[in-house]
Amino acid sequence: MSEFPAADELLSIAIPVAREAAATARRMRAEAITDVQTKSTRTDVVTAADRAVERQVVVALRTIRPYDGVLGEEYGEYTAGPGAVRWILDPIDGTVNYLYGLPAYAVSLAAEVDGVVLAGVVINAATGDEWTATRGGGAWRGGRRLRCSNRTDLSQVLLGTGFGYDAKRRAHQGAVLAQLITRVRDIRRIGVASLDLCSVGEGLLDAYYEKGLNPWDHAAGGLVAAEAGAVVGGLEGAPPGLDMVVAAPPAIFGPLHDALVELDAAGGA
Ligand code: IPD
Ligand code: CA
């Protein structure tokens, strides 16, 4: 018998923890943004709220399930043994939107066992919109089961993407995008990878790709997209990861994948 709880049990732990985290992020923004510091580059910011929300989630998870691991964006990893649950957290995905007050920033929380994401929740803290998924149990928003778009023609695709914080990486990403934009309906850059992936699950975007995402950016949203019928992967058969995350309806994944390979989208800095 497995020693970890079923996917729906993990989701039922994740949802209230993520809701309280979203409430903290929203409240801290309303009160004032404090202690804005930079991380990898001068435009990669972290606020007191990113750190406070992560600490709150870690404390909540460790109170409920003390032997699990947690991988969070701001404080790194509390390791757990093999076969244990690992929670993957972005306390605020879309920190630049948060800083400016654009109403798209999210708490993203997933539960993974042995490298397989079993449950995930993404909450847009600014609006309260919530997406959930369990492996094999579908993707949901507000009691509605989600299906990704049924688009079949790349030239009709509304395509989401994002950019890293490093200028050299951005230069390459911009060059790839300059080519791709002529082959699709249009491009969106929402600034929140987890919401981009949930948007693919809901059909608000047809497809999405980005190089340089970390597990906390794509674990929960990737499960939402996949459970809504999208293909979520990397390039040339690789799993989604730092080199590339692509999420697209089955008929679009191949043509988009091939265009990304042709344009060397996983290359550059
Ligand atoms: C970023 C956002 C953005 C994506 C970046 C991420 P952060 O996360 O998801 O949309 O393009 O690659 O780093 O820094 O706001 O948590
Ligand atoms: Ca973040």
Side-chain angles (χ1 to χ4, degrees):
M1 212 174 99
S2 67
E3 292 181 8
F4 54 87
D8 52 355
E9 207 177 313
L10 292 168
L11 183 64
S12 68
I13 292 167
I15 289 174
V17 169
R19 283 183 186 160
E20 295 214 345
T24 299
R26 201 167 42 244
R27 179 178 48 74
M28 288 186 77
R29 174 149 227 300
E31 284 168 0
I33 290 178
T34 58
D35 193 17
V36 182
Q37 294 177 12
T38 56
K39 297 194 286 185
S40 61
T41 72
R42 288 181 60 220
T43 52
D44 181 7
V45 286
V46 58
T47 69
D50 297 77
R51 295 194 170 114
V53 171
E54 183 159 324
R55 282 196 301 267
Q56 176 183 315
V57 171
V58 170
V59 168
L61 290 174
R62 292 185 83 75
T63 303
I64 305 167
R65 294 186 50 84
Y67 302 110
D68 292 353
V70 184
L71 170 67
E73 175 170 12
E74 309 306 341
Y75 290 106
E77 181 134 28
Y78 299 77
T79 30
V85 175
R86 178 167 89 143
W87 297 90
I88 303 175
L89 167 71
D90 194 338
I92 300 181
D93 188 16
T95 304
V96 175
N97 288 351
Y98 185 80
L99 197 59
Y100 281 75
L102 286 166
Y105 51 88
V107 173
S108 171
L109 182 60
E112 180 198 81
V113 175
D114 291 336
V116 178
V117 179
L118 299 180
V121 55
V122 176
I123 301 178
N124 181 345
T127 62
D129 292 326
E130 184 175 300
W131 294 259
T132 62
T134 52
R135 191 174 161 82
W140 300 81
R141 176 175 173 186
R144 186 165 50 91
R145 190 162 185 166
L146 302 179
R147 290 299 306 168
C148 69
S149 105
N150 56 8
R151 199 76 61 199
T152 56
D153 179 354
L154 186 61
S155 70
Q156 296 295 308
V157 159
L158 185 61
L159 181 62
T161 191
F163 310 108
Y165 292 106
D166 174 70
K168 280 205 194 90
R169 170 163 297 173
R170 286 178 163 221
H172 185 72
Q173 288 174 317
V176 170
L177 192 59
Q179 297 294 312
L180 215 43
I181 197 169
T182 63
R183 306 188 194 180
V184 296
R185 178 192 296 273
D186 208 345
I187 298 289
R188 292 291 180 271
R189 197 293 195 244
I190 294 168
V192 194
S194 58
L195 292 181
D196 287 310
L197 287 159
C198 291
S199 297
V200 171
E202 199 174 345
L204 304 174
L205 292 172
D206 292 307
Y208 165 76
Y209 77 97
E210 185 166 344
K211 173 189 161 89
L213 293 185
N214 287 291
W216 49 81
D217 296 311
H218 66 83
L223 184 65
V224 171
E227 285 294 325
V231 180
V232 180
L235 298 184
E236 324 258 24
L242 260 187
D243 281 347
M244 184 57 65
V245 175
V246 184
I252 296 297
F253 188 90
L256 178 58
H257 168 279
D258 294 352
L260 292 168
V261 169
E262 179 202 323
L263 298 170
D264 189 27

